[in-house]
Amino acid sequence: MTDLTARARAFARTMFAATLIAAVLGACGSATTTPAATAPAATTPGSTASASPSETPQSASPPTSPTPSASPSVTQEPDVPGGNTGGDIPDNAVFLTYHSAAGGFSIQYVEGWQVSTQPDGVVIKDKDSSETVVLVAASSDVAGYVSATDLPTLEAQAGFKLIKQDSVKVGSKTYVHLAYHLPAPPDPVTGKRVPATVDRYYVPGPGGLAIISLSTPDGIDNVDAFRQMIQSFAWT
């Protein structure tokens, strides 16, 4: 009987200890609960969300219109068929020869230019470029005629500006020469006058004094073509 009572007490102590240990372990387990993953907090207006440097959002710049490229202003209407755009004579231009039986002279001109025979010569032109020959009475003093008669007439025209007055050698001959600025004749449709530069040569001969004027729009290089024109002039 005594032995049974001792064993009962030992069993009770063992159960109490087990219960106590279980209670302690349960308390520790509830205190070490692993935190659940939390979703990023929603950003409210006015709040600032932090981000790593590689994730920093770039500020969106307002769209900008491309800077208009300056384009040259158009000063001439398209040339008529057969003409040369902008007054520039191409390097491969074909030259024809105009013969004046009444005036007794000949001169080359660019194919496609309009030829208008005049009582005292000829006007050959393409839009704002031109080649004219005017015959006047012969003068024994060409330089004097230019200074006293022709130059004052030119100076009376609106927009005239003299560049130089000199003598130039053309082939084996030497001619009195003027270079000046003078707007081209008004366009028959628009009335527009394009600024132009003129080389004017005075060529004496059996038919009188030929005044040859070669006009080209400012900024256009027709030197070679105009040189061919003046060198081609001949009394026939």
Side-chain angles (χ1 to χ4, degrees):
M1 185 67 177
T2 301
D3 181 59
L4 179 60
T5 300
R7 280 190 287 179
R9 289 177 178 173
F11 177 77
R13 286 196 297 270
T14 301
M15 292 299 295
F16 175 77
T19 301
L20 180 60
I21 292 172
V24 171
L25 291 175
C28 292
S30 62
T32 59
T33 303
T34 303
T38 57
T43 303
T44 58
S47 65
T48 303
S50 61
S52 62
S54 61
E55 297 172 343
T56 302
Q58 300 296 321
S59 59
S61 300
T64 57
S65 301
T67 303
S69 58
S71 58
S73 60
V74 178
T75 59
Q76 300 182 47
E77 299 296 326
D79 289 338
V80 295
N84 298 290
T85 302
D88 186 16
I89 300 173
D91 294 337
N92 61 350
V94 176
F95 284 81
L96 304 177
T97 299
Y98 171 81
H99 295 274
S100 172
F105 69 88
S106 65
I107 191 169
Q108 291 185 357
Y109 66 97
V110 180
E111 183 181 32
W113 284 26
Q114 299 175 353
V115 179
S116 300
T117 299
Q118 306 295 315
D120 57 353
V122 65
V123 174
I124 309 174
K125 64 180 181 179
D126 169 52
K127 195 60 175 177
D128 299 309
S129 294
S130 65
E131 170 186 15
T132 66
V133 179
V134 176
L135 302 180
V136 298
S139 174
S140 58
D141 181 7
V142 176
Y145 166 80
V146 172
S147 298
T149 303
D150 200 45
L151 183 54
T153 301
L154 292 171
E155 291 174 332
Q157 299 185 51
F160 175 87
K161 182 179 179 181
L162 181 65
I163 300 174
K164 62 181 177 180
Q165 177 179 356
D166 58 4
S167 295
V168 297
K169 190 170 184 178
V170 178
S172 60
K173 305 292 182 65
T174 300
Y175 303 141
V176 176
H177 165 257
L178 292 181
Y180 55 88
H181 292 296
L182 185 67
D187 183 279
V189 177
T190 65
K192 185 184 301 181
R193 300 188 68 185
V194 174
T197 300
V198 184
D199 282 289
R200 192 175 179 95
Y201 302 86
Y202 300 83
V203 184
L209 179 64
I211 303 176
I212 305 166
S213 301
L214 307 176
S215 175
T216 188
D218 288 348
I220 300 297
D221 182 4
N222 287 329
V223 174
D224 292 338
F226 282 180
R227 181 183 296 113
Q228 180 170 338
M229 291 176 184
I230 188 58
Q231 288 178 343
S232 73
F233 179 86
W235 292 103
T236 57

